[in-house]
Amino acid sequence: MKKMNFLLAATIAASLMTVACKKKTETQTVYVDNTPPAPAPSLYTRLGGIGPITAVVDKFIGNCATNSFIGPRFSATAADSYRLKYFRYNLIDQICAGSGGPCQYKGQTMLAAHTGMNITGPEFDTLVVQLVKAMTFYNVPAQEQGDLASILLPMKTDIVGH
Ligand code: HEM
């Protein structure tokens, strides 16, 4: 009986030690209020949402239309209120959706929209400068300017030279 008790005690001690050792090696994140940290805000949120995006797009379109180099590219669009309206909506949706906002871009692919225009590299770069000017006008911080530019710049291959 004594032997049995000793064996039982030894088994319990061994399993307690295993638990204790396991506890020591396990790492566990403990949140003080039981909630994990909120995910980093999307670029859409950091830009301020649809209002500020719309303001930037309007300024951007105005900058492009009045730019001496690329302005002529947009003269037919500016002269047709229906065309201008949908171009504007498409740009807003594209930036909203691309930055993680609740919009859906319903326009053409960048390749389809710009095929037949033979847009050049310098024209593309000039258009990007107009966007940067619009963002700077509305005090968009450098981080967000860079983040939006890095969403749009990869589109260059679908837009230039087709
Ligand atoms: C990252 C750069 C660019 C973006 C994100 C962009 C975006 C767009 C979008 C969303 C549309 C509308 C597509 C549709 O109708 O379904 C469009 C059309 C157009 N884009 Fe671009 N574009 C870019 C570069 C350029 C450049 C460099 C030019 C010329 C200098 C240009 C000229 C035009 C013109 C003329 C239209 C047709 C507008 C109309 O419907 O009347 N785009 N672009």
Side-chain angles (χ1 to χ4, degrees):
M1 188 62 170
K2 261 189 177 171
K3 203 176 174 187
M4 280 280 283
N5 282 346
F6 174 77
L7 269 175
L8 189 64
T11 314
I12 292 169
S15 36
L16 282 177
M17 265 174 73
T18 313
V19 171
C21 290
K22 211 174 169 199
K23 272 209 168 142
K24 253 192 175 171
T25 52
E26 269 175 6
T27 53
Q28 194 187 5
T29 311
V30 178
Y31 302 107
V32 177
D33 61 356
N34 266 344
T35 48
S42 65
L43 176 58
Y44 174 82
T45 301
R46 288 183 282 124
L47 286 169
I50 201 68
I53 287 175
T54 301
V56 166
V57 166
D58 284 339
K59 188 82 186 156
F60 169 52
I61 292 175
N63 289 349
C64 289
T66 55
N67 180 270
S68 59
F69 184 43
I70 60 169
R73 289 283 197 180
F74 298 94
S75 54
T77 310
D80 180 336
S81 61
Y82 181 84
R83 234 170 116 171
L84 182 61
K85 184 173 147 181
Y86 281 95
F87 178 55
R88 176 176 178 267
Y89 281 155
N90 277 329
L91 277 176
I92 293 167
D93 281 344
Q94 190 183 38
I95 292 176
C96 168
S99 62
C103 310
Q104 205 193 337
Y105 174 66
K106 300 174 212 77
Q108 302 176 79
T109 63
M110 289 299 92
L111 181 61
H114 300 92
T115 291
M117 293 188 195
N118 284 312
I119 291 170
T120 64
E123 285 181 308
F124 183 91
D125 296 344
T126 304
L127 177 130
V128 173
V129 170
Q130 306 319 306
L131 177 63
V132 170
K133 279 185 179 170
M135 290 192 285
T136 303
F137 181 84
Y138 282 113
N139 300 313
V140 173
Q143 173 74 49
E144 281 67 34
Q145 290 201 21
D147 289 352
L148 184 55
S150 59
I151 290 170
L152 301 180
L153 289 178
M155 298 174 180
K156 187 170 186 174
T157 50
D158 282 344
I159 292 172
V160 169
H162 301 284

